[in-house]
Structures are given as C-alpha cells and as structure tokens.
C-alpha cells in the first residue's frame, strides 16, 4: 500500500499498544481459556461478585420482609450501583438518588398532566426521555447517568401508574423505597469490607500519577534520542491519561473530607499531557534541523535523558521530589547557559548581516535549548502538582477541570432515538392492547436510557440482549424447578447466590461485561419472588417475553433510527478540530492550553476506542492527525502569548500576525497557512540576526521555535487537516 501524503510508512503498520484489545474466543484460544473468568476468577472479581450478590439478596429479602409489592427492584438497584471501586459506587449512588428524585417529580407531573390521554402522554414521555439522553451525552461520569436515570425512572414510575393514575404517588414512593433500600444495602456491605479507604485512595492516586509521570518521562527520553518508534508509543499514553482524569473524581469521593488534592492531581495530568506534546514538538524540531545544528545540543540531550531516567525512582517521597526539582532547576540553568553562550558567540562574530554561516547554526542551537528549557519547565509544573496532589495545603482554593469534546449532533441523535423508541413502543401498546405491553414499553425506555449515550449503542445493546437471554434461561430453571420448593428466605438466598455470583464475575470481565450487566440486572426481575405467590407458566412467559421483546425492540431502533457510524463521528471530530484551530488563532481572551489539551485528549481516546482489535491504517492516521492538531494548537497559543507581550520588533510582530490571520481562516484545503508560517520563520530569522536587543532576540527565538512546529505539522498532515472530504488511507 502506498503511503498517504504526509503520513510516514511506519504509521501504516499496526501499532503495538492496541494489540491487547482482543475479543474473548479469539482464534487460537481454547474454549476453556475463554471461560477462565468463571472457573478461575481473580480475587478482586470474586470479592466484587460475592459482596454484591450478598447485598442484592439482602435488599430483596428486606423488601419481601417489608411486604413490598415488587421486591426485585431492590436487588436490581444493588447491581446497578455496584462498581469496582468504593468511590465509583458512592458517586453512582449519589447521582442515582438525584436522578430518582427528578424522575419521581416528572412522573407525577406527566401522569397529572395527561390522565387518560395516551396519545399525549407517550409523546411527552418520549420527548422527556430524549431531552435527558441528549443532555447526558454532553456530560461525563455519573452525572450523565443521573440524567438518563431521570428519564427512565420517569418511565418506570409513570407506566407503573397507568392502570390507576390516582395511585401515582404511592407507586413513586414504592419505587423510591426500593432504590434507597438497594443503595443502602450495597453501601453497607461495601463499607464493612473497606479498610483505610481514605489512606488507600491517597496512595492509589499517588501511584497512578507516578505511573503517568514515569511513562511520559521514558517517552520523552526516547524522543530526545531520536527514536522514531517512540512517536507511536507516545501516542498510546493519552488514552490512559484521560482514564486517570476520570478516576480522580472517584478517589476524591473515597478520601472523604479533603482539600483540593484532586484538583492538583488533574492539573498534574494536564501538565503531563502538555509535557508529552512538547516532547513531540521537540522531536519535530530535531527532525527539521541538520546534524551540524544539533552538535552542542546532543550533550545537553544526554544530560536530560540521564535525568529523565532517574525521575521514576525519585517519586517515592516528597523530599526526593523536591531534590528532583532542584536538579531540574540546575538542568534548566544549563539550557539557559547554552542560550547565553550562543548569543555571546553571535555577538563576538559581529556579523549583523546574517551572512556568516555560523549565525544560523547558533540560532538553531538556541532554538533547541529554549524548547528544551520550556519542556523541563512543564515537567517542573507536573512535579509540583504531583506533590500537591497528596498534601493538604492550608487555605488552598485551587480549582482545575479539564474540558472535553462535545458532539452536539451525536447528542441530538441520541435524544431522537430514545424519543422515537419510547413513543413507538407506547403507540404499539395502545394499538394492540397487549396485556404485558406496559412491561414492554418500560424496558424499551430503560434500555434506551441505559445505552443511548454509549458511543456505539448498537454493539452495546446487542450484547445486552445476549445477556438478557442468559438471564431468561437461568431464571427458567429457577422459577419452574427450584423456587416453588422453597418456603423460607434462607433457602431462597442459597438458591440465588451462585447464579448471582456467576453474573457478578461476568460483569467484571471486559469481554462479558455487558452480558453480565444484563444478566445481573434482569435475573431478579425474571425470577420475581414475592410473599403472596409464585410465577406460573403463563405469567413467566408473558412477563419475560415482554422484557426480551422490549430489549430487542430497542436494539432494532438503534439499528434503524440514525444508526451510529464511527466514520461519521470521526469526520465530525475532524471538522471540530479544524474549527477549534481557527478559533485558537483569533479568540479573545487567548484560550488556555489546558482546555485545548483536555478536548484533544478526549478526542484521542475516542479514536482509540474506535480502533477495535485490528486498527486500520485510517484509524492510525486519525491518531497521528489528532496528535498533530493538538501540537499545532498548543504552539498557536504560545505564539499568541508572544504577540501579547509586544516584545517582538514591528516587522516580526506583523509576520506572526499574518500567520495567525491565515490560521483564523484555515480550511486545510490549501497550503497558505503553512506557507505563511514558513515565510514568517524566514523573516524572523533575518530579523533575529540583526537585532541588538537581547530580550527581543530571545522572544524571536521562541517565536521561531513555535513556527517551525506549526509549519511542519501543517505540511505533514495536510491531508488529514483537509476536512472538506473524508479521510481514508489508501484513497
């Protein structure tokens, strides 16, 4: 396959960091090995499955003891809120209570507004669920869950009250009781088994940040060595960085009362991300200069690589971190000394025409050392924030949040799909008068709410449907062979314990997580134990069939109504990046580097999730292009900061402003912006050779360094940055 213009051949090879993303049952794997999660689980997975099963059974037994009408909802709530870490469970429980409260209010409102008016009630319910799913797509973590929960809780309560609208308040209170009971039981069991939660949260956050700093230090060391393969390895670090940023929120919950350690941890991750981008920019500068220009810099690079290799071992105590920052300051002093030495040599040459061949070499030497000094400065920021992330600082009011990419069109699609599914299901029930139709509509709304915000809802709901069939199969034997023989709660607990544990193990295995989620959620519903009786054959088949039909109907809607397309989402991301690059060059006030970095890390992670088990050359091209766009944007911000200081000579200021003007009109179709950046670089080099003011020369050096990266990345990635047509390697 010929290389796409602007993308090296090595990018067209499969990248190693995604090789672990393989499905269960891959070629060459035995069936026994595929089920290893069941017969040889890890201790954390087994602990989660047993703990959550006990909590779910306890909630169900308490609900039955209280003689509530639908005790299975208490057990279902436990499985919904249970997460791998205590912080995640607490956070999800909190937002579930928020979503439930909103759902209770809206269900009463809708039933009160449209009593005995189904042709108005179902459209209103669908629109409400659609609005919740749209808004949920635009936020992260369990705030998104709270919004979709508000939508489908409204459906659960309102549809439960349809046969008797006057009883809506009691239905709402009973559903809220199940939810509170389930949350309480899960929290109680988790709290009893959690030891030293706060101290462990601090240690885990420190360990994760240390890992991030270690990986990035190693990557930059390889980049300074000129290792081309390090470019590919470095890209793989952005996905874990975004994951760490999400996990910090849960660590904050586990800490209990705390200061702003989480904000400092997020700031440290942002600094690490910018640090990695600076390392990639340094690699670009090294590639753009000849060997003669890099002669003196190589000695400084060797010192830097030696320092970076020592960083991981020096992050264990705060004293070592301070010692590392002290050595870092000495290394930065060496960079600045090299800049001064180069300036001194230029002054000694005395050639103000710039024709002496030594002048460009000395300027290149200053460019490289200035870029390295800024890179080390970013590392110093990361180390300072790393230390602050596990230190309580009196009077600290520091706040930090990373921005994320928002796809408004996809959010609208999610809302439309959810609304269409709910309205259509409701009208089908009205037309057919199916006796189990309310259960059908309820689970259509539930599945749409659960999966409307997923990036690929078709795949997610399909796996959920498979897990639903497993739950139905297991419940068949429980309902017809075992449960009718039981007379006391203890026997019921013993009968359901092992099937629930198996589901919990499946939910902790990446290849069966969605199957396990459906199984654990629906098994209590399909068994449906209550004090006054047992399922008979007709009841079980009607109820279970309605639920399975509801899940299948939701899958069908996701496939037919505005179906998800990874290629379309990537195209929208490309156009959004192009618009953002234009905005960076003209927006007032000047955008913050951490905001730009956060949005692009999110985009980078989305592309990685699209990669699948065998990433295509097109996906790899997207990874390279997204990283290039982030690097270009950061250097645009730096150029604008140089302009804002007004220390450049007038002609140089004008040349950079022209480049920014071109960038504000950038379309990617033409090379006008990269040509303007190249021209500005040449002009600034000429001006720098004649400039006598030392401060101006240093600013010119910085501006030249930034322009080199901008022009290089624009030229190398011109095909990707042309959003007027779809990007596909091989076209």
């Amino acid at each position: 396959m010929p290389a796409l213009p602007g993308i090296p051949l090595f990018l067209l090879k499969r990248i190693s960091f995604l090789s672990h993303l393989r499905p269960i049952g891959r070629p060459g794997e035995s069936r026994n090995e595929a089920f290893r999660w069941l017969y040889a689980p890890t201790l954390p997975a087994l602990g989660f499955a047993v703990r959550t099963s006990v909590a779910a059974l306890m909630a169900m037994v308490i609900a039955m003891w209280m003689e509530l009408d639908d005790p299975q909802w208490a057990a279902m709530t436990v499985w919904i809120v249970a997460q791998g870490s205590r912080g995640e469970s607490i956070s999800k429980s909190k937002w579930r209570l928020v979503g439930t409260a909103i759902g209770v209010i809206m269900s009463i409102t809708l039933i009160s507004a449209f009593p005995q008016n189904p042709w108005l009630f179902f459209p209103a319910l669908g629109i409400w669920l659609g609005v919740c799913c749209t808004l949920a797509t635009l936020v992260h973590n369990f705030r998104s869950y709270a919004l979709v929960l508000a939508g489908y809780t409204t459906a659960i309560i309102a549809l439960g009250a349809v046969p008797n609208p006057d009883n809506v308040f009691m239905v709402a209170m009973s559903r809220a009781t199940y939810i509170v009971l389930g949350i309480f039981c899960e929290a109680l069991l988790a709290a009893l088994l959690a030891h030293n939660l706060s101290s462990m949260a601090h240690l885990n956050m420190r360990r994760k940040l240390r890992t991030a700093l270690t990986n990035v230090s190693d990557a930059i060391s390889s980049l300074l060595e000129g290792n081309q393969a390090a470019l590919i390895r470095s890209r793989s670090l952005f996905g874990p960085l975004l994951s760490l940023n999400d996990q910090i929120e849960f660590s904050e919950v586990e800490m209990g009362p705390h200061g702003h350690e989480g904000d400092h941890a997020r700031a440290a991750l942002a600094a690490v991300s910018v640090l990695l981008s600076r390392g990639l920019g340094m690699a670009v500068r090294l590639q753009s200069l000849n060997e003669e220009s890099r002669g003196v810099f190589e000695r400084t690079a060797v010192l830097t690589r030696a320092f970076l290799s020592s960083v991981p071992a020096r992050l264990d105590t705060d004293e070592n971190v301070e010692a590392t920052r002290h050595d870092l300051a000495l290394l930065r002093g060496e960079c600045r000394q090299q800049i001064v030495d180069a300036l001194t040599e230029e002054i000694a040459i005395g050639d103000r025409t710039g024709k002496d061949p030594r002048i460009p070499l000395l300027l290149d030497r200053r460019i490289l050392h200035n870029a390295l000094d800024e890179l080390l400065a970013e590392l110093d920021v990361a180390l300072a924030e790393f230390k602050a992330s596990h230190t309580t600082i009196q009077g600290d009011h520091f706040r930090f949040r990373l921005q994320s990419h928002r796809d408004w069109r996809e959010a609208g699609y999610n809302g439309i799909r959810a609304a269409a599914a709910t309205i259509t299901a409701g009208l089908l029930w009205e037309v057919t008068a199916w006796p189990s139709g309310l259960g059908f509509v309820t689970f259509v709304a539930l599945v749409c709410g659960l999966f409307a915000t997923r990036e690929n809802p078709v795949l997610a709901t399909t796996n959920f449907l498979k897990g639903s069939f497993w739950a139905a199969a297991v419940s068949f034997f429980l309902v017809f062979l075992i449960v009718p023989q039981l007379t006391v709660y203890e026997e019921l607990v013993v009968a359901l314990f092992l099937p629930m544990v198996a589901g919990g193990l499946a939910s902790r295995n990446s290849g069966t997580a969605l199957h396990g989620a459906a199984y654990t959620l629906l098994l209590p519903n399909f068994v449906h134990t209550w004090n006054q009786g047992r399922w008979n054959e007709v009841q079980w088949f009607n109820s279970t069939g309605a639920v399975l039909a509801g899940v299948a109907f939701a899958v069908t809607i996701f496939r037919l109504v505005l179906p998800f397309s990874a290629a379309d989402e990537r195209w929208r991301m490309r156009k959004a990046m192009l618009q953002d690059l234009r905005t960076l060059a003209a927006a007032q006030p000047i955008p913050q580097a951490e905001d730009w970095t956060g949005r692009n890390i999110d985009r980078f992670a989305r592309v990685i999730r699209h990669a699948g088990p065998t990433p295509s050359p097109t996906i790899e091209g997207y990874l390279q292009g997204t990283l290039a766009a982030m690097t270009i944007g950061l250097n645009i911000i730096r150029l604008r900061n140089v302009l804002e200081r007004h220390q450049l000579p007038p002609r140089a200021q004008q040349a950079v402003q022209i480049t920014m003007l071109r960038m504000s009109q950038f379309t990617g179709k033409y090379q006008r912006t990269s040509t303007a950046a190249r021209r500005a670089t040449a002009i600034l080099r000429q001006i720098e050779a004649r400039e006598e003011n030392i401060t101006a020369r240093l600013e010119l050096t910085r501006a030249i360094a930034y322009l080199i990266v901008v022009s290089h990345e624009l030229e190398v990635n011109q095909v990707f940055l042309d959003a007027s047509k779809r990007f596909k390697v091989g076209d």
Side-chain angles (χ1 to χ4, degrees), residues 477-687:
F477 291 99
L478 291 172
V479 168
F480 291 105
L481 299 179
I482 297 177
V483 173
Q485 311 300 323
L486 308 180
T487 57
V488 294
Y489 295 142
E490 291 81 357
E491 294 175 347
L492 177 64
V493 168
V494 172
L496 294 180
F497 181 71
L498 287 180
M500 282 193 175
V501 169
L505 293 175
S507 66
R508 301 312 299 168
N509 177 59
S510 59
T512 58
L514 286 172
H515 306 74
Y519 174 89
T520 54
L521 175 67
L522 296 178
L523 182 64
N525 182 275
F526 289 160
V527 175
H528 199 140
T529 55
W530 74 100
N531 291 317
Q532 289 76 27
R534 301 287 186 269
W535 281 120
N536 59 37
E537 293 86 344
V538 174
Q539 287 176 312
W540 185 86
F541 278 108
N542 284 340
S543 176
T544 303
V547 172
L548 293 177
V551 177
F553 184 81
V555 174
T556 303
I557 289 293
F558 280 123
R559 287 183 179 275
L560 298 180
V561 179
L562 302 173
F564 171 80
S565 170
D568 288 345
E569 185 185 40
R570 291 195 298 269
W571 191 24
R572 290 194 299 271
M573 280 198 296
R574 280 179 64 217
K575 292 193 289 186
M577 280 188 283
L578 202 67
Q579 178 60 45
D580 285 350
L581 285 173
R582 289 194 291 264
T583 301
L584 288 177
Q588 290 294 343
I590 300 174
Q592 296 296 313
E594 57 267 20
D595 294 339
W596 171 249
T597 302
R599 287 198 300 274
N600 283 279
I601 291 176
D602 192 10
R603 291 164 180 160
F604 205 91
R606 286 170 183 256
V607 177
I608 290 176
R609 290 195 291 269
H610 291 173
T614 307
S616 66
T618 299
I619 294 293
E620 294 171 12
Y622 264 95
L623 292 171
Q624 170 67 12
T626 304
L627 184 55
M630 184 174 76
T631 303
I632 292 169
L634 287 172
N635 283 276
I636 289 173
I637 293 172
R638 292 162 191 157
L639 279 169
R640 293 197 61 192
N641 287 327
V642 169
L643 290 174
E644 195 74 10
R645 291 193 288 268
H646 299 289
Q647 292 180 345
L648 293 177
R651 187 173 172 225
Q653 186 97 355
Q654 183 182 27
V656 177
Q657 286 173 339
I658 291 173
T659 304
M660 293 297 100
L661 178 62
R662 287 291 188 191
M663 181 57 69
S664 67
Q665 302 168 349
F666 180 64
T667 63
K669 293 184 65 174
Y670 312 103
Q671 299 186 33
R672 295 171 182 169
T673 307
S674 59
T675 301
R678 290 285 185 192
R679 187 179 297 116
T681 304
I683 292 172
L684 265 63
R685 281 182 175 273
Q686 295 173 3
I687 296 172

Side-chain angles (χ1 to χ4, degrees), residues 198 202 205 252-253 255-266 388-399 401:
S198 178
H202 280 90
M205 190 160 66
E252 287 181 292
V253 174
M255 290 177 190
H258 58 85
H260 294 273
E261 295 93 330
D263 293 291
H264 287 290
R266 280 184 283 270
S389 68
H390 50 267
T391 305
T392 302
I393 304 172
Q394 295 296 328
D396 186 14
H397 300 288
F398 181 75
R399 295 283 184 182
R401 287 290 186 275

Side-chain angles (χ1 to χ4, degrees), residues 422-486:
T422 305
I423 294 171
T424 305
L427 296 183
L428 282 175
W429 175 61
E430 279 296 317
V431 170
T432 62
W434 182 14
S436 299
L438 281 176
F440 167 75
V441 181
T442 298
F443 276 87
V444 168
L446 176 65
V447 174
C448 286
L450 285 173
F451 296 103
T453 58
R454 294 289 184 109
E455 285 187 356
N456 191 345
V458 173
L459 177 62
T461 52
T462 301
N463 289 332
F464 191 86
L465 179 61
K466 294 175 182 177
S468 303
F469 280 111
W470 276 107
V474 172
S475 71
F476 177 87
F477 291 99
L478 291 172
V479 168
F480 291 105
L481 299 179
I482 297 177
V483 173
Q485 311 300 323
L486 308 180

